[in-house]
Amino acid sequence: MASKPKTFKKLMVQKLTSNFREAVSIETVNMCHPKKGEVCVKNKYVGINATDVNFTKGRYFVNVEVPFGVGFEGVGEIVEIGENVENFKIGQSVAYLDGRCNAYAEYVVSMKQRIVSLLLSSVLHIYSNRIALLYSTVSSSRYVQE
């Protein structure tokens, strides 16, 4: 695997509006690195849904300040692992759901509790959008039931 670049691109919300194209800009930012209990994922696919437009319009948080990241879920490959992370390895295909809203990016750091392994890398390419949506639904359902 090639080393990570020093920078990467991500979408950042610059303006609160329901027009997503007007709300976001593509920014080049310094490379992210996982802290204790986190992993860095190189995104292959990200989930796109109405929640993102509602988020960029400011419907969910009254006092939100721009700029901020956007996107909750994705599917990709682990490229770096932080301390105290077991059961994951570099190169592993994973899906994640993370409320820190940074999925619309080439790379993302997520907490290990928000990541599930995809056992077959071919599944990643064929069913990635369905897997992310299913993971999102299952995680939300599990959270509601607890």
Side-chain angles (χ1 to χ4, degrees):
M1 164 169 293
S3 63
K4 289 171 34 181
K6 293 181 181 184
T7 62
F8 67 100
K9 293 185 188 320
K10 69 184 284 186
L11 288 184
M12 293 292 290
V13 176
Q14 302 293 342
K15 174 183 174 183
L16 296 179
T17 175
S18 59
N19 183 327
F20 194 80
R21 189 176 296 233
E22 288 180 15
V24 299
S25 65
I26 300 172
E27 303 290 326
T28 299
V29 298
N30 290 331
M31 179 52 67
C32 52
H33 297 283
K35 296 177 185 167
K36 184 176 179 180
E38 298 177 328
V39 301
C40 181
V41 176
K42 181 177 183 180
N43 281 327
K44 301 279 186 183
Y45 304 95
V46 296
I48 299 173
N49 55 61
T51 301
D52 301 312
V53 174
N54 288 329
F55 201 68
T56 60
K57 190 171 182 177
R59 288 184 175 161
Y60 294 142
F61 303 106
V62 178
N63 296 324
V64 68
E65 293 185 25
V66 294
F68 58 86
V70 65
F72 297 97
E73 67 269 0
V75 174
E77 178 181 319
I78 294 177
V79 294
E80 188 177 357
I81 298 173
E83 293 180 41
N84 294 347
V85 175
E86 299 174 6
N87 302 322
F88 291 110
K89 62 183 180 183
I90 292 177
Q92 186 174 6
S93 297
V94 294
Y96 65 88
L97 174 65
D98 195 325
R100 294 186 283 185
C101 306
N102 285 306
Y104 288 8
E106 293 175 305
Y107 293 85
V108 66
V109 169
S110 187
M111 298 176 291
K112 65 182 179 181
Q113 300 90 334
R114 299 289 184 200
I115 297 175
V116 294
S117 174
L118 302 178
L119 300 177
L120 302 173
S121 61
S122 61
V123 170
L124 172 66
H125 301 291
I126 299 170
Y127 298 108
S128 62
N129 292 335
R130 293 182 190 132
I131 290 167
L133 180 60
L134 175 62
Y135 175 63
S136 173
T137 303
V138 169
S139 294
S140 297
S141 299
R142 195 174 90 205
Y143 176 75
V144 169
Q145 290 176 1
E146 292 175 348

